[in-house]
Amino acid sequence: MKKRTALATALLALPLGALAQQNPTPAPPASPTQAVPPRADTTQPPPTRITLDEAIRLALQHNHALLAARSTILQNQAQEITANLRPNPVLSWDTQFLPIFQPNNFTADYFENQAQFDIGIGYLFERGKKRQHRLQAAKDQTAVTRAQVTDNERQLTFNLSQQFVNVLLAQSTLDLAQQDYDSFQKTVDISESRFKAGDMSEGDLLKIKLQLLQFQSDVFAARLSKVQALASLRQLLGFESVPDNYDVEGSLDYQPVHAGLDDLKALALRTRPDLQAAHLGVTAAHSQESLAEANGKRDLNVTFDYSHVAGVNSGTFFFNIDLPIFDRNQGEIARTRYAITQFQELQSEASQQVLTDVVDAFEALHSNDQIIQLYRGGYVEQAQKSRDITEYAYRKGAASLLDFLDSERTYRANQLAYRQALASYMTALEQMRQAVGTRNLP
C-alpha cells in the first residue's frame, strides 16, 4: 500500500508533457514470487546414501522390534539350561535326647552313651527320563521361536523394501516436478518476450504465469512426501543407524521375473519361515506329549542316614515312592495329544496360507507387469513427443495457448502415472519375495 501511494504521488508531481511522452506500450505483468526453495546447499556435506541391500542389513542389525524378538531366542536357551538341571540332593540332620532341663548331664560321657545324633543325605531319582524329555521339549520350543523370529525378519524386510520404494517414488516425483518447473519457467520467460514484442496478449501471459503456481506447488508437495518417506524408512532402519541427512541410492526400475507359478509355490513351501515354524510346532507338540508321559512315572526318593545312638554307630537307608493309583498325569497326557492335533491343523492352514500368498503375489506382479509393458510400448514416448511438438509450435506461434497447456498437463499426468506404475510393480515384486520367503527369485 505504501508503494502504491508513493507511486501515485510521483505521477502527480510529473508534468503533463512528461506523461504524454511516456511509451504507451504496456509493461508485462509481474512474475509470481519465485517461492521454490533451492535444490541443495552445496556448503553442507553430501548426505549418506544407502542402497536397498544396505538398508535391509541396517534394519536387521538395528531395528528395535526385531532385536526384542531375538531376545526370546536367548530366553528359550536359558530355559534349556533350566530343563537340563538335575534335582539337588537333600541334607538332613537331627540331635535327640539332649539334657536341656538337666544341665549337670552335659558331659562327654552322656553325649557318648545317651544322646542320639543323625545326619543323612537324600536324592530324588527321576524315572522315565524326565530330564532328557524336558531338555528336548525346551530345544524344540527354541527351534520354533527361532523360526518365528526369522519370519519377523521376513516381514521387516518386506515393510522396509516397500517403504524404500516409496522413497524412490517420492524422489522420482520430485525430480519430475523440478524438471517441469524449470522447463515451464523457460516458457514463461519466452512468453514475456513475446508479450513485450506484441505477439501475445496480457490475458494469455497471466494464464501462463498462473499455471506456474501449479508447478511450484508440485515441487513443495514432492519434497514434503520425500521427507515423510525418509522419516518412515528411518524408523524401520533404527533411528540411530543413519545420520539426519541420509538419503537413498537407487531409482525406479523394471526387473522382469521369469519363474512360473508352480516353481514359486514349490520354492515357498521349502523356504517360508512361518511354515517351518508350523512344522516345528508339531514336533514340539510331540515332545510335550513325551514329557507328559514321562511325568506320569513316579520318582524314587532315596536317603541314607548315619546315626549315633547310645554309643553305637549305624547307617540306615530310606526309600519312598508314590503309588500311581489315582494320579498318573492322565489329564496332561490327554491335553498334549489334543495339542498335537491342533498344531497339525495349524500346519495345514499355514501351508494353504503360503500357497494363497504366492498366488496373490504372482497375479499382482503379472498385472503390474502388463501395465508397465503398456507404458513401455510407446505411451511414455508418445506423451513426451506430443508435449515437445506442441511446445515448439507454441513458441513459434503455430499453436494456441490452450493446446500447449493441455499437452503439458497430459505429459505430466502420463509421467506421474508411469512412475507410480513402476513403484507398484516394484512393490509387487517385493510382495512376491515376501510370499516366497527369499529375495532370490528364479
Side-chain angles (χ1 to χ4, degrees):
M1 182 64 68
K2 292 181 179 180
K3 292 182 179 179
R4 293 181 178 177
T5 304
L7 180 59
T9 303
L11 291 175
L12 291 174
L14 290 175
L16 294 177
L19 290 175
Q21 294 176 0
Q22 298 297 321
N23 190 350
T25 304
S31 300
T33 303
Q34 304 299 317
V36 178
R39 297 189 182 184
D41 188 358
T42 57
T43 61
Q44 296 182 354
T48 301
R49 296 185 176 273
I50 59 174
T51 62
L52 177 57
D53 293 336
E54 292 172 344
I56 294 174
R57 178 181 58 82
L58 290 174
L60 295 179
Q61 292 177 353
H62 299 281
N63 184 268
H64 295 289
L66 181 60
L67 294 178
R70 284 174 178 168
S71 67
T72 59
I73 299 178
L74 302 178
Q75 297 176 36
N76 284 108
Q77 290 175 342
Q79 291 179 350
E80 292 180 18
I81 298 175
T82 302
N84 197 36
L85 295 177
R86 289 179 169 86
N88 289 324
V90 179
L91 179 65
S92 60
W93 65 91
D94 67 85
T95 301
Q96 303 181 39
F97 309 116
L98 295 178
I100 296 176
F101 302 103
Q102 299 175 347
N104 294 332
N105 290 334
F106 275 92
T107 62
D109 182 68
Y110 180 86
F111 284 109
E112 177 67 24
N113 297 298
Q114 300 297 327
Q116 177 177 340
F117 304 96
D118 301 293
I119 184 170
I121 185 169
Y123 188 76
L124 179 67
F125 289 92
E126 293 183 313
R127 299 176 61 241
K129 298 183 178 180
K130 291 184 176 64
R131 182 175 62 86
Q132 291 84 345
H133 287 297
R134 283 198 307 268
L135 179 59
Q136 187 60 48
K139 288 183 176 180
D140 290 340
Q141 187 58 44
T142 302
V144 173
T145 303
R146 186 176 287 108
Q148 291 173 344
V149 172
T150 303
D151 189 60
N152 290 342
E153 295 176 356
R154 177 181 70 95
Q155 296 289 346
L156 175 61
T157 300
F158 169 70
N159 293 335
L160 182 136
S161 301
Q162 187 178 30
Q163 189 59 41
F164 194 93
V165 173
N166 290 339
V167 177
L168 293 180
L169 176 60
Q171 179 61 54
S172 179
T173 303
L174 176 59
D175 293 340
L176 175 63
Q178 188 68 54
Q179 176 185 351
D180 289 343
Y181 171 78
D182 295 339
S183 176
F184 201 82
Q185 181 62 55
K186 296 179 182 178
T187 302
V188 171
D189 296 339
I190 294 176
S191 299
E192 288 180 346
S193 300
R194 292 180 57 188
F195 173 77
K196 292 179 181 179
D199 295 337
M200 176 180 290
S201 66
E202 182 179 359
D204 289 344
L205 180 60
L206 289 175
K207 291 179 181 179
I208 293 179
K209 289 187 174 182
L210 290 176
Q211 187 68 25
L212 187 63
L213 174 63
Q214 181 62 48
F215 291 95
Q216 292 173 334
S217 301
D218 291 344
V219 173
F220 279 115
R223 289 183 180 176
L224 176 60
S225 297
K226 183 181 179 182
V227 171
Q228 293 175 340
L230 285 173
S232 299
L233 178 63
R234 190 177 185 183
Q235 181 179 358
L236 296 175
L237 292 174
F239 197 82
E240 69 282 353
S241 63
V242 291
D244 293 337
N245 64 334
Y246 90 104
D247 205 342
V248 299
E249 183 73 26
S251 60
L252 297 177
D253 191 18
Y254 171 74
Q255 300 177 0
V257 176
H258 304 290
L261 180 59
D262 293 336
D263 295 334
L264 294 173
K265 287 181 179 180
L267 181 60
L269 293 176
R270 295 194 305 268
T271 59
R272 276 280 290 263
D274 54 340
L275 182 58
Q276 294 176 1
H279 287 306
L280 294 172
V282 176
T283 303
H286 282 288
S287 297
Q288 291 293 333
E289 181 194 20
S290 299
L291 177 59
E293 292 176 351
N295 288 333
K297 305 292 183 181
R298 301 297 94 182
D299 298 331
L300 176 64
N301 197 341
V302 179
T303 304
F304 173 76
D305 279 357
Y306 162 76
S307 300
H308 176 83
V309 182
V312 178
N313 298 318
S314 63
T316 305
F317 283 97
F318 296 93
F319 303 90
N320 63 77
I321 187 172
D322 290 343
L323 297 179
I325 298 176
F326 304 107
D327 181 8
R328 297 185 299 275
N329 206 30
Q330 305 96 313
E332 186 64 16
I333 293 174
R335 186 197 67 80
T336 55
R337 289 175 180 173
Y338 292 133
I340 292 176
T341 303
Q342 176 190 8
F343 281 98
Q344 288 174 343
E345 294 297 334
L346 291 176
Q347 175 185 348
S348 300
E349 177 63 24
S351 300
Q352 295 180 3
Q353 184 63 53
V354 167
L355 296 177
T356 301
D357 291 344
V358 172
V359 171
D360 291 343
F362 182 83
E363 292 300 328
L365 184 65
H366 181 65
S367 177
N368 282 278
D369 181 80
Q370 290 179 326
I371 295 175
I372 292 297
Q373 296 305 323
L374 290 176
Y375 280 102
R376 296 168 67 92
Y379 283 108
V380 174
E381 295 179 357
Q382 292 173 7
Q384 183 173 1
K385 186 176 180 180
S386 175
R387 194 278 304 265
D388 294 341
I389 293 175
T390 306
E391 181 180 5
Y392 179 81
Y394 170 74
R395 291 182 178 182
K396 298 299 183 180
S400 66
L401 174 62
L402 294 178
D403 292 338
F404 170 67
L405 295 179
D406 183 67
S407 66
E408 188 70 39
R409 284 191 295 267
T410 301
Y411 168 76
R412 184 173 55 186
N414 181 273
Q415 286 293 319
L416 286 175
Y418 177 58
R419 284 163 168 77
Q420 291 172 355
L422 281 175
S424 298
Y425 177 83
M426 294 179 66
T427 301
L429 180 60
E430 294 299 334
Q431 184 181 1
M432 174 58 70
R433 289 168 174 164
Q434 181 207 26
V436 174
T438 178
R439 297 193 60 79
N440 299 322
L441 298 179

